[in-house]
């Protein structure tokens, strides 16, 4: 593979109020990767995403390959459930002429892709369940046909069964559309199952590589501290 | 309808009142979605000292009101950015301060009119200027609506830069100040904020989509003015309370036909 990487990050530094949130991060992502970024709370994962999206000031270099467009599913999407906005109108936000656009065919296509019934288009965004909303957001993020999808905590607020569906969905989207996926996750067992590459982050990049080579006991201890990693690895397997 | 009616001061008041209410109703939709209803209420009070100064210095009250409202809009968003105070705390301070100062400043004979509005003396020229200004405010807000909805519904989606959302917000506040300043003439500083909010709140009761929300809000605002003005015409009561009570009646009706959650 001597193709140019789809994303190259070199010496990325972010300082907020004199505190180093990210220091000296360097990594690259190849096309078609499913890269998982793991790390404890406050490790700078969301900040890293914001830098990648160009929403935050940083020092260093972030280079996306030419022609790359990015879809983003945020960690917290708090919609006031009483807001009268239909799924159709939510998707129409993509269109320049917004409420006066007619994109039903296109919208339904994407709803189908994320395994929501076509009739969802007429529903109010606020009436969707947590899992449905998450899928609608994924559909929304891929609506513009991005070749990279950034996904912050895909399964926060979704139960275990819903979690599996969402990961299966991401997997099939990747097969169908060839999208490169970067995701932040706390679920180590899922990282093992789906990710082709893992980046361990705790303000610094602690390790990077294929999950099975990278996520050794020693590395996880370094990343999470002894007590936590054990819980992470085994606690969730029992639930499933 | 007789031609006499069509050239009467009352007719011009009706036209101008309709235009202002429709623009305000449309803006109100965004205020309700942002849970900023109190802001618009307080904003309308801030206009009072401006109106008072305009009366004292013999200027058009609109000029004084608009200047003060604009200043308040910037002040609110400025304080909001700089402190952790919730908006309603900032607004609460501004609201009482300006009402107190305004009541002291306003010459006694003009006070009632400044507080509750009066629409009998309005010229044709004034009416058409108000209509034109309202149309401009509506159009600007429609153009802004996509960015505003991003700001309200999905600020975290990273689709529109924060700077563009902030700019949209600032222009929106200026439009709001403009609509309040125009409306003070009709319903007074005490009640104008309410005219922005009640039709939108009623619309939210029954709307399922943004389009329905906007349309219902505008229609309710228009009906409120027509009902209120009919009451003014036939019962010779003050316009502000008449219009506001009509909109409250509509609000109560929408409660009955509320959509199930």
């Amino acid at each position: 593979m001597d193709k140019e990487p789809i994303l190259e990050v070199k010496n990325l530094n972010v300082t907020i109020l004199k505190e180093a949130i990210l220091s000296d991060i360097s990594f690259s992502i190849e096309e078609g990767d499913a890269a998982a970024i793991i790390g404890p709370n406050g490790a700078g994962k969301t900040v890293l995403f914001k830098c990648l999206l160009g929403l935050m000031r940083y020092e260093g270099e972030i280079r996306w390959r030419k022609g790359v467009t990015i879809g983003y599913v945020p960690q917290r999407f708090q919609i006031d459930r009483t807001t009268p906005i239909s799924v159709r109108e939510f998707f129409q936000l993509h269109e320049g002429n917004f409420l006066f656009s007619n994109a039903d065919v296109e919208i339904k296509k994407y709803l189908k892709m994320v395994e929501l019934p076509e009739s969802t288009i007429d529903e109010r965004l606020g009436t969707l369940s947590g899992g449905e909303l998450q899928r609608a957001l994924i559909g929304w993020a891929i609506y513009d046909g991005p070749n990279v999808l950034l996904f912050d905590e895909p399964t926060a607020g979704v139960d275990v069964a819903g979690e599996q569906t969402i990961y299966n969905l991401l997997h099939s989207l990747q097969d169908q559309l060839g999208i490169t996926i970067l995701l932040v996750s706390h679920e180590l067992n899922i990282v093992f199952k789906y990710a082709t590459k893992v980046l361990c982050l705790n303000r610094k990049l602690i390790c990077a590589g294929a999950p099975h080579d990278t996520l050794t006991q020693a590395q996880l201890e370094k990343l999470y501290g002894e007590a936590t990693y054990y819980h992470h690895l085994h606690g969730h397997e029992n639930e499933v | 309808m007789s031609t006499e009616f069509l050239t009467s001061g009352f007719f011009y008041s009706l036209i101008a009142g309709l235009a202002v209410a429709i623009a305000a109703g449309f803006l109100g939709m965004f205020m309700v979605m942002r849970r900023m209803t109190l802001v618009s209420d307080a904003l309308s009070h801030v206009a009072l000292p401006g109106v008072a100064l305009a009366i004292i210095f013999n200027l058009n009250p609109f000029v004084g009101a608009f200047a003060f409202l604009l200043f308040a809009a910037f002040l609110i968003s400025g304080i909001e950015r700089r402190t952790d105070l919730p908006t309603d705390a900032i607004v609460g301070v501004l609201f009482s301060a300006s009402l107190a100062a305004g009541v002291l400043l306003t010459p006694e004979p003009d006070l009632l009119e400044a507080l509750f509005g009066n629409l009998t003396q309005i010229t044709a020229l004034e009416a058409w200027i108000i209509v034109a200004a309202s149309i401009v405010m509506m159009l600007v807000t429609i153009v802004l609506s996509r960015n505003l909805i991003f700001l309200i519904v999905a600020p975290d989606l990273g689709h529109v830069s924060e700077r563009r959302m902030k700019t949209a917000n600032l222009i929106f506040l200026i439009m709001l100040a403009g609509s309040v300043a125009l409306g003070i003439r009709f319903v007074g500083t005490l009640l104008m904020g309410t005219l922005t909010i009640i039709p939108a709140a009623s619309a939210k009761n029954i709307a399922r989509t943004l389009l329905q929300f906007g349309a219902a809000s505008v229609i309710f605002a228009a009906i409120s003015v027509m009902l209120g003005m009919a009451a003014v015409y036939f019962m010779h009561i003050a316009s502000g309370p008449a219009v506001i009570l009509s909109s409250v009646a509509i609000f109560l009706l929408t409660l009955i036909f509320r959509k199930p959650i």
Side-chain angles (χ1 to χ4, degrees):
Chain A
M1 278 213 290
D2 27 280
K3 243 181 128 181
E4 195 191 336
I6 201 158
L7 165 67
E8 206 165 1
V9 174
K10 271 188 198 157
N11 308 322
L12 178 70
N13 281 287
V14 176
T15 312
I16 300 174
L17 297 173
K18 290 182 183 169
E19 192 183 348
I21 305 296
L22 294 174
S23 46
D24 243 354
I25 311 280
S26 299
F27 63 90
S28 65
I29 303 288
E30 311 293 331
E31 187 164 4
D33 266 347
I37 300 163
I38 61 169
N41 290 332
K45 293 167 295 189
T46 300
V47 169
L48 174 61
F49 264 23
K50 287 201 168 153
C51 292
L52 295 180
L53 283 163
L55 297 173
M56 242 178 118
R57 242 176 242 242
Y58 59 85
E59 285 160 47
E61 196 183 348
I62 292 177
R63 211 172 57 218
W64 291 98
R65 197 166 72 200
K66 252 195 183 149
V68 162
T69 52
I70 310 165
Y72 172 54
V73 184
Q75 178 173 16
R76 262 184 234 102
F77 181 74
Q78 283 156 332
I79 178 181
D80 173 356
R81 290 199 171 260
T82 67
T83 302
I85 178 171
S86 63
V87 172
R88 174 186 287 110
E89 289 169 331
F90 181 56
F91 274 79
Q92 280 172 347
L93 280 170
H94 279 291
E95 309 285 334
N97 45 356
F98 187 33
L99 290 179
F100 306 102
S101 62
N102 187 358
D104 279 17
V105 178
E106 197 70 1
I107 295 170
K108 283 180 183 167
K109 188 177 110 192
Y110 280 93
L111 288 176
K112 228 170 160 178
M113 224 180 269
V114 293
E115 290 158 23
L116 286 170
E118 283 188 1
S119 60
T120 314
I121 194 169
D122 289 314
E123 269 180 63
R124 212 146 40 89
L125 200 59
T127 58
L128 300 184
S129 73
E132 286 171 329
L133 184 63
Q134 189 66 292
R135 269 179 283 159
L137 279 178
I138 298 173
W140 197 90
I142 58 174
Y143 186 82
D144 283 336
N147 27 31
V148 179
L149 191 60
L150 297 190
F151 210 150
D152 201 349
E153 291 278 358
T155 53
V158 177
D159 63 17
V160 182
E163 228 169 67
Q164 287 295 333
T165 347
I166 291 204
Y167 279 102
N168 287 333
L169 176 66
L170 282 181
H171 224 54
S172 81
L173 284 179
Q174 212 173 8
D175 291 343
Q176 278 177 57
L177 307 171
I179 292 183
T180 305
I181 293 181
L182 261 91
L183 59 91
V184 163
S185 184
H186 276 305
E187 317 296 324
L188 286 184
N189 51 337
I190 277 170
V191 172
F192 273 112
K193 218 163 149 188
Y194 291 99
T196 57
K197 186 175 213 169
V198 62
L199 304 167
C200 325
L201 191 71
N202 194 358
R203 309 256 163 144
K204 292 182 188 124
L205 196 61
I206 292 180
C207 54
H212 284 277
D213 308 333
T214 317
L215 296 180
T216 60
Q217 202 153 336
Q219 290 287 15
L220 286 172
E221 258 172 55
K222 204 170 150 195
L223 185 62
Y224 287 108
E226 210 161 330
T228 14
Y229 96 87
Y230 186 84
H231 166 79
H232 262 268
L233 263 187
H234 300 282
H236 288 284
E237 275 165 13
N238 295 340
E239 283 169 34
V240 179
Chain B
M1 221 174 269
S2 66
T3 43
E4 201 179 305
F5 179 77
L6 288 177
T7 52
S8 68
F10 182 81
F11 175 72
Y12 290 126
S13 302
L14 178 63
I15 295 292
L18 273 176
V20 170
I22 287 172
F26 188 65
L27 291 167
M29 159 184 162
F30 296 96
M31 300 298 281
V32 167
M33 273 196 281
R34 298 180 66 180
R35 297 175 182 270
M36 275 173 66
T37 50
L38 267 178
V39 174
S40 108
D41 221 4
L43 259 187
S44 70
H45 294 61
V46 170
L48 189 61
V51 172
L53 289 177
I55 292 173
I56 292 170
F57 293 106
N58 231 343
L59 293 165
N60 188 329
F62 172 81
V63 177
F66 187 64
F68 265 67
L69 286 164
L70 214 53
F71 173 69
F74 280 104
L75 197 66
I76 292 174
S77 73
I79 297 178
E80 234 179 352
R81 233 174 301 147
R82 246 155 243 144
T83 71
D84 290 332
L85 279 178
T87 311
D88 56 352
I90 304 166
V91 165
V93 174
L94 242 118
F95 161 98
S96 339
S98 44
L99 191 59
V103 169
L104 283 184
L105 280 173
T106 314
E108 192 103 7
D110 298 310
L111 188 57
L112 210 60
E113 191 184 317
L115 287 175
F116 297 109
N118 178 5
L119 26 65
T120 41
Q121 330 102 342
I122 186 170
T123 66
L125 181 67
E126 272 182 298
W128 295 124
I129 289 175
I130 288 173
V131 170
S134 302
I135 292 173
V136 170
M137 286 188 299
M138 279 282 276
L139 289 179
V140 171
T141 312
I142 289 174
V143 170
L144 285 179
S145 63
R146 181 168 169 266
N147 280 350
L148 285 174
I149 296 294
F150 262 115
L151 181 71
I152 295 164
V153 177
D156 299 330
L157 287 181
H159 214 73
V160 173
S161 71
E162 251 168 65
R163 243 179 79 205
R164 267 176 66 189
M165 287 195 283
K166 268 186 193 150
T167 312
N169 189 33
L170 196 64
I171 301 175
F172 174 75
L173 284 176
I174 295 171
M175 294 300 114
L176 185 74
S179 95
V180 170
L182 286 180
I184 279 171
R185 192 72 196 258
F186 301 96
V187 290
T189 49
L190 273 190
L191 297 174
M192 182 54 206
T194 327
L195 187 61
T196 315
I197 296 312
I198 299 181
S202 315
K204 193 174 179 233
N205 275 339
I206 57 160
R208 288 169 175 282
T209 68
L210 284 177
L211 218 52
Q212 289 173 4
F213 193 0
S217 191
V218 163
I219 291 169
F220 289 160
I223 297 176
S224 307
V225 169
M226 286 193 281
L227 285 178
M229 293 297 279
V232 172
Y233 192 74
F234 292 112
M235 298 192 280
H236 305 285
I237 55 174
S239 56
V243 170
I244 296 302
L245 287 178
S246 309
S247 72
V248 171
I250 294 173
F251 179 78
L252 293 176
L253 277 178
T254 60
L255 279 182
I256 301 171
F257 298 104
R258 226 173 119 80
K259 62 176 189 256
I261 292 286

